[in-house]
Amino acid sequence: MSKSNRWVRLADNLPWDKIEQEYNKRLKNRHNGAGNKPARMVVGALIMKHARGAER
């Protein structure tokens, strides 16, 4: 994707290490089941969902 894409620019400015740490602290399935989805995928999708909802 282009570095000028708004989602790429946003992602480049988020503290993903801190987000990942906080995200994983709150989940209890670290040792059972399929495991956690990456925080970047989950949080990124939520940000996009809310941003897109605000555009409508």
Side-chain angles (χ1 to χ4, degrees):
M1 292 189 97
S2 170
K3 284 289 193 183
S4 64
N5 179 287
R6 68 179 174 163
W7 302 115
V8 174
R9 288 193 324 261
L10 175 63
D12 286 347
N13 289 303
L14 291 173
W16 289 111
D17 292 338
K18 290 180 182 179
I19 293 170
E20 186 83 39
Q21 186 177 33
E22 195 62 34
Y23 170 79
N24 286 326
K25 258 190 345 190
R26 298 180 184 284
L27 297 176
K28 305 288 187 209
N29 66 342
R30 291 180 206 162
H31 303 292
N32 297 326
N36 304 339
K37 297 291 183 212
R40 191 171 179 129
M41 181 177 73
V42 175
V43 174
L46 286 171
I47 291 169
M48 291 173 72
K49 175 185 173 194
H50 286 283
R52 297 288 304 194
E55 292 176 0
R56 294 180 182 169

